């Protein structure tokens, strides 16, 4: 063989080896994980006595009359093409009238043998003007908590679930450097009032989603498209978590306080193509793992080359007692310089089944998320949201069963999983999707406010009952 040919072959071999070596090094080894549900269905249930069997809602989506927050404004706004922000121009309005019907709704939980309820308190109702607190609104939430306790249901309170008072939005919301202090003033009032009765507090729901959808993809208010702003907002929400953690513990030292993290792995459509693998790695690092680095070490490093860079060190380690995990699906993402979505394109790899949201049904992803959290911390994990939009109710039962089998498998392997909250108790206002997407254990008829148990939801009750045998 001629020398130049040999050299060319060696160079090619080195490049190929480097490519695949890097791919193997960066790739999540569980990306192809498939569980045999028929087999694990036979395993004994290990949820244990103290396991929280719950359901979750958020104030704006169910209460009704949230007329003093950023979403209320957003629902009347239009985009740059004069199109309404919400599908079919819908508005949350009276939503499920849960504010007035909470007692009946608590009976709906009881009918399913649930022993916990995760709900959020609406900041704009409690603090309608900066520093002015509405005692009647606090009374209301205290009554909800009392009613839950009287029915043997553990209240789990989320302090921030996507909505901000209009005055806070006008100030610049979480772009402001002092936003954590402003938020903490509200947190203290709530904890002083509900403190001893509520033991489990979720500070902030899904900071990455609030930041990215609000400031980068423009699906949420304030509908901006500025990655750097998204990174700043994300950082300030994490700072607000740490500040809230300290404030809550000061008032109620025995409280259990956690952050709720949206986890969906970003997977490469072509698992042997370095660029796809790099994109997935970048997204997972910045949008998922960043939470755990911050919680454990107080360090926030957000970096998407050419788009955003933000670093911060709170100097506070371990400011959390549990991790709240919201899990729905995983996303396939590939690099495409011409994509509308700023270089990264969402794509789909068949043959996964889809929910009405267009999400892949992928219970293995819940296992991967639990595994990832467990690799960062041994503190308790609550699955604070997991559920399916399924109007036809043909997939719900299997969805619930498979996801609970995954939780059971995790517990059997020693993961510290303490509760599961199905999203949601009843169909409700699904943000930019309006009322079209139906996640409820109960079907909601919005014209009569009648709730009807879905057939598929009986699976949840069945597993809860079985776990007690
Ligand atoms: C989560 C949100 C929750 C609900 C579900 C479907 O990301 O926290 O409010 O909209 O998605």
């Amino acid at each position: 063989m001629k020398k130049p040919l040999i050299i060319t072959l060696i160079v090619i071999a080195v490049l190929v080896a480097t490519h695949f070596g890097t791919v193997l090094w960066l790739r999540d080894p569980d990306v192809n994980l498939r569980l045999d549900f028929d087999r694990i269905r036979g395993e004994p249930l290990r949820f244990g006595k103290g396991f929280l069997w719950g359901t979750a809602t958020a104030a704006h989506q169910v209460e009704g009359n949230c007329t003093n927050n950023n979403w209320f404004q957003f629902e009347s706004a239009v985009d740059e093409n004069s199109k309404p922000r919400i599908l079919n121009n819908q508005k949350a309005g009276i939503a499920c009238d849960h504010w007035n019907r909470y007692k009946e709704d608590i009976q709906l939980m009881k009918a399913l043998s649930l022993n916990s309820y995760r709900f959020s308190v609406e900041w704009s109702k409690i603090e309608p003007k900066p520093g002015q607190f509405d005692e009647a609104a606090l009374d209301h939430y205290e009554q909800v908590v009392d009613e839950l306790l009287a029915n043997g249901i553990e209240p789990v309170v989320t302090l921030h679930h996507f909505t901000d008072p209009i005055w806070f939005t006008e100030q610049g919301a979480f772009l402001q450097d002092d936003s954590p202090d402003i938020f903490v003033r509200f947190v203290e009032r709530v904890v002083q009032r509900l403190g001893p009765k509520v033991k489990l507090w979720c500070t902030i729901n899904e900071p990455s989603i609030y930041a990215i959808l609000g400031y980068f993809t423009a699906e949420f208010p304030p509908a901006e498209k500025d990655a750097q702003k998204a990174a700043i907002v994300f950082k300030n929400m994490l700072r607000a978590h740490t500040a809230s953690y300290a404030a809550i513990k000061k008032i109620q030292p025995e409280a259990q306080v956690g952050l709720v993290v949206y986890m969906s792995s970003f997977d490469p459509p072509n698992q042997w193509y370095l660029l796809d693998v790099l994109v997935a790695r970048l997204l997972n690092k910045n949008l998922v793992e960043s939470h755990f680095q911050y919680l454990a070490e107080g360090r926030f490093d957000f970096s998407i080359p050419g788009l955003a860079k933000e670093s911060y060190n709170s100097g506070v380690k371990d400011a959390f007692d549990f991790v709240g995990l919201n899990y729905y699906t995983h996303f396939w993402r590939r690099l495409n310089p011409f994509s509308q979505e700023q270089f990264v394109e969402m794509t789909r790899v068949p043959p996964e089944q889809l929910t009405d949201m267009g999400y892949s049904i992928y219970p293995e992803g819940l296992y991967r998320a639990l595994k990832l959290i467990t690799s960062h911390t041994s503190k308790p994990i609550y699955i604070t949201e997991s559920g399916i939009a399924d109007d036809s109710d043909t997939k719900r039962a299997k969805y619930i069963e498979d996801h609970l089998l995954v939780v059971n498998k995790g517990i059997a392997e020693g993961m510290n999983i303490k509760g599961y909250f199905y999203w949601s108790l009843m169909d409700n206002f699904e943000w930019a999707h309006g009322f079209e997407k139906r996640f409820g254990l109960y079907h909601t008829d919005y014209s009569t406010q009648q709730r009807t148990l879905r057939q598929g939801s009986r699976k949840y009750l069945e597993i809860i009952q079985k776990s007690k045998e």
Side-chain angles (χ1 to χ4, degrees), residues 58 61 161-162 205-206 262 326 328 385 423 430-431 439:
Q61 295 177 271
H161 196 125
F162 294 163
N205 182 71
E206 303 180 352
Y262 180 86
N326 287 0
Y328 289 91
E385 287 179 31
W423 182 274
E430 181 44 39
W431 308 112
F439 280 89

Side-chain angles (χ1 to χ4, degrees), residues 175 211 215 224 226-234 308:
L175 279 170
Y215 292 85
E224 295 202 31
D226 182 331
Q228 185 58 35
K229 280 191 184 171
I232 294 170
V233 166
F234 189 4

Side-chain angles (χ1 to χ4, degrees), residues 65 87 238 268 270 277 290 317 350 422 428 440 451 465:
N65 282 323
L87 189 71
L238 292 176
N270 181 341
V277 174
S290 52
K317 292 184 179 165
Y422 179 86
N428 56 46
R451 284 84 151 121
Q465 283 173 339

Side-chain angles (χ1 to χ4, degrees), residues 34-91:
R34 285 284 173 267
L35 296 174
D36 178 354
F37 286 97
D38 288 334
R39 194 182 59 74
I40 61 177
R41 191 164 291 116
E43 314 246 304
L45 298 183
R46 298 170 193 274
F47 294 99
K49 250 186 160 245
F51 193 82
L52 293 189
W53 296 101
T55 181
T57 64
H60 190 82
Q61 295 177 271
V62 294
E63 275 183 2
N65 282 323
C66 294
T67 54
N68 189 25
N69 69 23
N70 54 340
W71 272 86
F72 177 74
Q73 289 184 316
F74 192 61
E75 287 155 21
S76 303
V78 288
D79 67 12
E80 53 282 0
N81 302 313
S82 309
K83 271 186 48 198
R85 293 286 185 186
I86 313 296
L87 189 71
N88 300 331
N89 201 8
Q90 287 175 335
K91 296 172 178 32

Side-chain angles (χ1 to χ4, degrees), residues 195-209:
K197 296 176 181 173
V198 173
K199 296 190 190 76
L200 283 156
W201 297 95
C202 301
T203 54
I204 296 186
N205 182 71
E206 303 180 352
S208 62
I209 296 292

